[in-house]
Short mmCIF file of all heavy atoms in Angstrom, two decimals:
data_model
loop_
_atom_site.label_atom_id
_atom_site.label_comp_id
_atom_site.label_asym_id
_atom_site.label_seq_id
_atom_site.Cartn_x
_atom_site.Cartn_y
_atom_site.Cartn_z
N GLY W 235 4.33 -2.99 -1.83
CA GLY W 235 3.90 -2.69 -3.20
C GLY W 235 3.00 -3.77 -3.74
O GLY W 235 2.64 -4.74 -3.05
N LYS W 236 2.64 -3.63 -4.99
CA LYS W 236 1.77 -4.57 -5.68
C LYS W 236 2.59 -5.35 -6.71
O LYS W 236 3.35 -4.76 -7.48
CB LYS W 236 0.62 -3.84 -6.38
CG LYS W 236 -0.38 -4.77 -7.05
CD LYS W 236 -1.45 -4.00 -7.82
CE LYS W 236 -2.35 -3.24 -6.90
NZ LYS W 236 -3.48 -2.61 -7.64
N THR W 237 2.43 -6.66 -6.71
CA THR W 237 3.20 -7.52 -7.59
C THR W 237 2.78 -7.34 -9.05
O THR W 237 1.77 -6.71 -9.36
CB THR W 237 3.04 -8.99 -7.19
OG1 THR W 237 1.65 -9.34 -7.25
CG2 THR W 237 3.53 -9.22 -5.77
N ILE W 238 3.57 -7.93 -9.95
CA ILE W 238 3.31 -7.83 -11.38
C ILE W 238 2.00 -8.53 -11.71
O ILE W 238 1.73 -9.63 -11.22
CB ILE W 238 4.47 -8.43 -12.19
CG1 ILE W 238 5.77 -7.69 -11.88
CG2 ILE W 238 4.18 -8.38 -13.68
CD1 ILE W 238 6.98 -8.29 -12.57
N ASP W 239 1.19 -7.91 -12.54
CA ASP W 239 -0.10 -8.47 -12.93
C ASP W 239 0.09 -9.29 -14.20
O ASP W 239 0.38 -8.75 -15.27
CB ASP W 239 -1.11 -7.35 -13.14
CG ASP W 239 -2.52 -7.88 -13.35
OD1 ASP W 239 -2.70 -9.11 -13.27
OD2 ASP W 239 -3.44 -7.07 -13.60
N TYR W 240 -0.08 -10.61 -14.09
CA TYR W 240 0.07 -11.51 -15.24
C TYR W 240 -1.27 -11.86 -15.87
O TYR W 240 -1.30 -12.55 -16.90
CB TYR W 240 0.78 -12.80 -14.81
CG TYR W 240 2.22 -12.62 -14.45
CD1 TYR W 240 2.61 -12.43 -13.13
CD2 TYR W 240 3.21 -12.61 -15.43
CE1 TYR W 240 3.93 -12.26 -12.79
CE2 TYR W 240 4.53 -12.44 -15.10
CZ TYR W 240 4.90 -12.27 -13.78
OH TYR W 240 6.21 -12.09 -13.45
N GLY W 241 -2.37 -11.45 -15.27
CA GLY W 241 -3.67 -11.79 -15.82
C GLY W 241 -4.05 -13.23 -15.55
O GLY W 241 -3.57 -13.87 -14.61
N PHE W 242 -4.93 -13.76 -16.39
CA PHE W 242 -5.41 -15.14 -16.23
C PHE W 242 -4.35 -16.10 -16.75
O PHE W 242 -3.93 -16.00 -17.90
CB PHE W 242 -6.73 -15.33 -16.99
CG PHE W 242 -7.45 -16.59 -16.62
CD1 PHE W 242 -8.45 -16.58 -15.67
CD2 PHE W 242 -7.14 -17.79 -17.24
CE1 PHE W 242 -9.12 -17.75 -15.33
CE2 PHE W 242 -7.79 -18.95 -16.90
CZ PHE W 242 -8.79 -18.94 -15.95
N GLN W 243 -3.92 -17.02 -15.89
CA GLN W 243 -2.88 -17.98 -16.26
C GLN W 243 -3.31 -19.39 -15.85
O GLN W 243 -4.18 -19.57 -14.98
CB GLN W 243 -1.55 -17.65 -15.58
CG GLN W 243 -0.97 -16.31 -15.98
CD GLN W 243 -0.56 -16.25 -17.44
OE1 GLN W 243 -0.24 -17.28 -18.03
NE2 GLN W 243 -0.57 -15.06 -18.02
N GLY W 244 -2.70 -20.38 -16.51
CA GLY W 244 -2.99 -21.78 -16.21
C GLY W 244 -2.22 -22.27 -15.00
O GLY W 244 -1.41 -21.55 -14.39
N VAL W 245 -2.42 -23.54 -14.68
CA VAL W 245 -1.80 -24.08 -13.47
C VAL W 245 -0.30 -24.29 -13.64
O VAL W 245 0.45 -24.27 -12.66
CB VAL W 245 -2.49 -25.41 -13.09
CG1 VAL W 245 -3.91 -25.16 -12.64
CG2 VAL W 245 -2.43 -26.41 -14.24
N VAL W 246 0.18 -24.48 -14.86
CA VAL W 246 1.61 -24.70 -15.07
C VAL W 246 2.39 -23.43 -14.76
O VAL W 246 3.43 -23.46 -14.10
CB VAL W 246 1.87 -25.18 -16.51
CG1 VAL W 246 3.36 -25.28 -16.79
CG2 VAL W 246 1.20 -26.52 -16.75
N LYS W 247 1.91 -22.30 -15.22
CA LYS W 247 2.60 -21.04 -14.97
C LYS W 247 2.26 -20.48 -13.58
O LYS W 247 3.12 -19.89 -12.92
CB LYS W 247 2.23 -20.02 -16.04
CG LYS W 247 2.96 -18.68 -15.91
CD LYS W 247 2.60 -17.74 -17.03
CE LYS W 247 3.32 -16.41 -16.92
NZ LYS W 247 4.78 -16.54 -17.00
N ARG W 248 1.03 -20.65 -13.16
CA ARG W 248 0.61 -20.05 -11.90
C ARG W 248 1.11 -20.81 -10.68
O ARG W 248 1.54 -20.21 -9.70
CB ARG W 248 -0.92 -19.98 -11.87
CG ARG W 248 -1.49 -19.17 -10.72
CD ARG W 248 -3.00 -19.24 -10.68
NE ARG W 248 -3.55 -18.37 -9.65
CZ ARG W 248 -4.80 -18.41 -9.23
NH1 ARG W 248 -5.66 -19.27 -9.76
NH2 ARG W 248 -5.22 -17.59 -8.28
N TRP W 249 1.05 -22.15 -10.73
CA TRP W 249 1.41 -22.95 -9.57
C TRP W 249 2.60 -23.87 -9.81
O TRP W 249 3.04 -24.55 -8.89
CB TRP W 249 0.22 -23.81 -9.13
CG TRP W 249 -0.99 -23.03 -8.79
CD1 TRP W 249 -2.15 -22.97 -9.51
CD2 TRP W 249 -1.19 -22.18 -7.65
NE1 TRP W 249 -3.06 -22.14 -8.90
CE2 TRP W 249 -2.50 -21.65 -7.74
CE3 TRP W 249 -0.40 -21.83 -6.56
CZ2 TRP W 249 -3.01 -20.78 -6.79
CZ3 TRP W 249 -0.91 -20.97 -5.61
CH2 TRP W 249 -2.20 -20.46 -5.73
N GLY W 250 3.13 -23.89 -11.04
CA GLY W 250 4.29 -24.73 -11.30
C GLY W 250 3.97 -26.20 -11.46
O GLY W 250 4.81 -27.06 -11.16
N PHE W 251 2.78 -26.53 -11.96
CA PHE W 251 2.43 -27.93 -12.17
C PHE W 251 3.30 -28.54 -13.27
O PHE W 251 3.78 -27.84 -14.17
CB PHE W 251 0.95 -28.06 -12.56
CG PHE W 251 0.01 -27.97 -11.40
CD1 PHE W 251 0.41 -27.43 -10.18
CD2 PHE W 251 -1.29 -28.42 -11.51
CE1 PHE W 251 -0.45 -27.35 -9.12
CE2 PHE W 251 -2.17 -28.35 -10.45
CZ PHE W 251 -1.74 -27.80 -9.24
N LYS W 252 3.46 -29.86 -13.20
CA LYS W 252 4.26 -30.56 -14.20
C LYS W 252 3.53 -30.68 -15.51
O LYS W 252 4.13 -30.63 -16.58
CB LYS W 252 4.63 -31.94 -13.66
CG LYS W 252 5.46 -32.78 -14.61
CD LYS W 252 5.75 -34.14 -14.02
CE LYS W 252 6.54 -34.99 -15.00
NZ LYS W 252 6.82 -36.34 -14.44
N GLY W 253 2.21 -30.84 -15.47
CA GLY W 253 1.45 -31.04 -16.69
C GLY W 253 1.39 -32.51 -17.09
O GLY W 253 1.97 -33.38 -16.44
N GLY W 254 0.70 -32.78 -18.17
CA GLY W 254 0.55 -34.15 -18.65
C GLY W 254 1.68 -34.56 -19.58
O GLY W 254 2.57 -33.77 -19.90
N PRO W 255 1.67 -35.78 -20.02
CA PRO W 255 2.72 -36.26 -20.94
C PRO W 255 2.62 -35.58 -22.29
O PRO W 255 1.55 -35.14 -22.71
CB PRO W 255 2.47 -37.76 -21.03
CG PRO W 255 1.03 -37.93 -20.67
CD PRO W 255 0.72 -36.86 -19.67
N ALA W 256 3.75 -35.52 -23.00
CA ALA W 256 3.79 -34.85 -24.29
C ALA W 256 3.35 -35.77 -25.42
O ALA W 256 2.97 -35.29 -26.49
CB ALA W 256 5.19 -34.31 -24.56
N SER W 257 3.42 -37.07 -25.23
CA SER W 257 3.05 -38.01 -26.29
C SER W 257 2.51 -39.29 -25.65
O SER W 257 2.12 -39.28 -24.48
CB SER W 257 4.27 -38.31 -27.18
OG SER W 257 5.31 -38.89 -26.41
N HIS W 258 2.47 -40.38 -26.42
CA HIS W 258 2.03 -41.70 -25.95
C HIS W 258 0.61 -41.65 -25.42
O HIS W 258 0.33 -41.92 -24.25
CB HIS W 258 2.98 -42.24 -24.88
CG HIS W 258 4.36 -42.51 -25.39
ND1 HIS W 258 4.67 -43.61 -26.15
CD2 HIS W 258 5.51 -41.80 -25.27
CE1 HIS W 258 5.95 -43.58 -26.46
NE2 HIS W 258 6.48 -42.50 -25.95
N GLY W 259 -0.28 -41.21 -26.29
CA GLY W 259 -1.69 -41.26 -25.95
C GLY W 259 -2.24 -40.01 -25.29
O GLY W 259 -3.44 -39.96 -25.00
N ALA W 260 -1.41 -39.00 -25.07
CA ALA W 260 -1.90 -37.76 -24.45
C ALA W 260 -2.60 -36.91 -25.50
O ALA W 260 -2.02 -36.57 -26.53
CB ALA W 260 -0.74 -36.99 -23.84
N THR W 261 -3.85 -36.58 -25.25
CA THR W 261 -4.64 -35.76 -26.15
C THR W 261 -5.24 -34.59 -25.39
O THR W 261 -6.05 -34.79 -24.48
CB THR W 261 -5.76 -36.60 -26.80
OG1 THR W 261 -5.19 -37.74 -27.45
CG2 THR W 261 -6.53 -35.75 -27.80
N LYS W 262 -4.80 -33.40 -25.73
CA LYS W 262 -5.31 -32.17 -25.12
C LYS W 262 -5.18 -32.21 -23.59
O LYS W 262 -6.07 -31.79 -22.86
CB LYS W 262 -6.77 -31.94 -25.51
CG LYS W 262 -6.99 -31.76 -26.99
CD LYS W 262 -8.45 -31.50 -27.31
CE LYS W 262 -8.65 -31.35 -28.81
NZ LYS W 262 -10.08 -31.09 -29.14
N PHE W 263 -4.05 -32.74 -23.14
CA PHE W 263 -3.84 -32.83 -21.69
C PHE W 263 -2.39 -32.43 -21.34
O PHE W 263 -1.85 -32.89 -20.36
CB PHE W 263 -4.13 -34.26 -21.21
CG PHE W 263 -4.22 -34.37 -19.72
CD1 PHE W 263 -5.31 -33.85 -19.03
CD2 PHE W 263 -3.22 -34.98 -18.99
CE1 PHE W 263 -5.38 -33.94 -17.66
CE2 PHE W 263 -3.30 -35.09 -17.61
CZ PHE W 263 -4.39 -34.56 -16.94
#
Side-chain angles (χ1 to χ4, degrees):
K236 183 184 292 186
T237 59
I238 300 176
D239 188 3
Y240 291 95
F242 194 96
Q243 298 294 333
V245 292
V246 174
K247 183 177 180 62
R248 190 185 185 193
W249 301 109
F251 280 18
K252 180 182 178 181
S257 60
H258 295 284
T261 304
K262 299 181 181 180
F263 192 71

